[in-house]
Structures are given as C-alpha cells and as structure tokens.
Amino acid sequence: MATHGTIQRPSTVAAPTTPTGRPEDSTGKTLDDFRRPEFRLVCPLSIPSSPEAASLRIIQNLTHFALYYTHFVWIVLFVTLIPQRKVSLILLVIMTYVTSLYLLLLRACPANFHLLHKIIDKRIVLGLIVMATMIELIATKAGLHLVITLAATVPLVLTHAVLWVRNDFCVEKWGGGNGGGGGGEESVPLVDESTEIV
C-alpha cells in the first residue's frame, strides 16, 4: 500500500547482461529463450511409394477414420434424400438411431458379457444393419439416390485413405543384418496395436 497513488518511474540502472553481452530479464533468461519456434507448414498428404504401401495406408486409414468416412457418406445421402424422398429419409434416420443404440449397448455392457462381445460379432451386426438400410432405401424407390451417393463419395473416401499420412505411427529403418551396410535396411511401420476402434 506504500506505492498506492504514486507514479512509478523506470529505473535508471541498466539491465544486467549475461557474460555473452545479451540483456537479461529479472528471471535470469535471455531474450533468445523467449523466441518462438519457426512456423512450419506440414502437409499430411503424400503419394505412397509402392502399391503395397498404398494398400497398407488404405487399410490403416479405413480403420482409423471409419466413423468419419461413414458420417461423410451418411450426410451426403441425407442431403440427397431431403428434396424428394421423405419416407426414405425417415427410415434412414430410424436405422441410424438403431445403430447408435446398438453401439451404446456394446459400450455399456461389460467386456466379459460374452453374448454381445464374443458370440455376436459387432462387424456382422453392423453389416446387417447396413444391408437392411440399403434394402429399405431400394424398397422406397431411393435406390438411385443411394447409387449416386456411393458413386460420388466412395472415390473421395478412397482417395483420402490413400493420400493421408497418419501422424500416430512412424516408419523406422530396420537393419537386415548386412554387417552395418546400408543395403539391408527395410521400412517397418511402428503401429500401436493396443488401441481398438469401437
């Protein structure tokens, strides 16, 4: 409270400097410690080097981004059904609700509940729901909308899956045992297999 109402004037004493001659602040750090790192633009897209690398990248990206790809296709199908096919749109929303309830039931049940996790495979049930949705769309005369949507979105999804380089795994050079020579190395993907897609 002793300085309340008074005006603080800057000190006439020069700021202490480091042995290198750079000015130092009160915390003992130089101005170089506070410089921001360089901005680098990282492009996560690249063309795979071989067909094997492309197929590996497609499989990994389809499993990693499956929910996003499904939402993309669903949104495009939803938008194409809005103007003309109201009944098909309602059935699509109902089947989406059924799928969401099934996935929530899977998450709510403990892992040792064998009926849902071991006997009835999730992929089979989701495949059956997709087939039932397609049959409902065809039965309500929205099959053309479904075909056009799949023809427009599947190439985009596959293109993204081929070109996207995921950041959560890396490729490491692994020596092939040529006595330290550079010719026996191969690229080995390091993938964390402990994560599981729901």
Side-chain angles (χ1 to χ4, degrees), residues 72-126:
F72 173 66
V73 173
W74 187 89
I75 288 170
V76 173
L77 181 61
F78 186 85
V79 168
T80 60
L81 291 176
I82 287 176
Q84 298 173 348
R85 305 287 179 203
K86 305 287 188 210
V87 175
S88 301
L89 185 65
I90 291 170
L91 290 175
L92 180 67
V93 170
I94 289 171
M95 291 307 285
T96 304
Y97 184 70
V98 168
T99 306
S100 300
L101 284 179
Y102 173 71
L103 292 175
L104 286 173
L105 180 67
L106 273 181
R107 190 169 290 257
C109 289
N112 59 1
F113 191 65
H114 293 291
L115 180 64
L116 283 178
H117 292 285
K118 304 289 184 213
I119 298 171
I120 303 172
D121 190 19
K122 174 177 67 173
R123 291 173 288 194
I124 294 173
V125 174
L126 292 177

Side-chain angles (χ1 to χ4, degrees), residues 4-22:
H4 183 68
T6 61
I7 298 174
Q8 297 286 331
R9 294 188 181 169
S11 171
T12 58
V13 179
T17 60
T18 61
T20 60
R22 293 187 180 139

Side-chain angles (χ1 to χ4, degrees), residues 91 128-141 146:
L91 290 175
L128 288 174
I129 291 173
V130 167
M131 291 302 294
T133 305
M134 288 181 170
I135 291 171
E136 287 176 354
L137 290 174
I138 292 170
T140 56
K141 297 182 177 64
L146 177 65

Side-chain angles (χ1 to χ4, degrees), residues 173-186:
K173 294 292 184 184
W174 185 46
N178 275 353
E185 296 179 346
E186 66 179 81

Side-chain angles (χ1 to χ4, degrees), residues 25-47:
D25 69 351
S26 62
T27 61
K29 296 187 178 200
T30 63
L31 292 177
D32 292 336
D33 294 336
F34 295 104
R35 294 198 191 273
R36 294 184 183 182
E38 290 183 28
F39 177 74
R40 294 185 313 178
L41 183 61
V42 179
C43 182
L45 301 176
S46 72
I47 297 174

Side-chain angles (χ1 to χ4, degrees), residues 129-186:
I129 291 173
V130 167
M131 291 302 294
T133 305
M134 288 181 170
I135 291 171
E136 287 176 354
L137 290 174
I138 292 170
T140 56
K141 297 182 177 64
L144 183 62
H145 294 280
L146 177 65
V147 170
I148 290 172
T149 300
L150 291 177
T153 57
V154 169
L156 292 174
V157 165
L158 289 177
T159 302
H160 181 270
V162 167
L163 296 178
W164 187 266
V165 179
R166 289 185 35 210
N167 293 333
D168 60 343
F169 73 93
C170 63
V171 176
E172 178 182 281
K173 294 292 184 184
W174 185 46
N178 275 353
E185 296 179 346
E186 66 179 81

Side-chain angles (χ1 to χ4, degrees), residues 44 46-67 69 154-166 169 189 191 197:
S46 72
I47 297 174
S49 59
S50 67
E52 291 83 16
S55 63
L56 178 67
R57 199 181 287 180
I58 287 173
I59 291 169
Q60 288 173 343
N61 285 338
L62 284 179
T63 56
H64 186 74
F65 295 118
L67 181 65
Y69 293 151
V154 169
L156 292 174
V157 165
L158 289 177
T159 302
H160 181 270
V162 167
L163 296 178
W164 187 266
V165 179
R166 289 185 35 210
F169 73 93
V191 180
I197 305 297

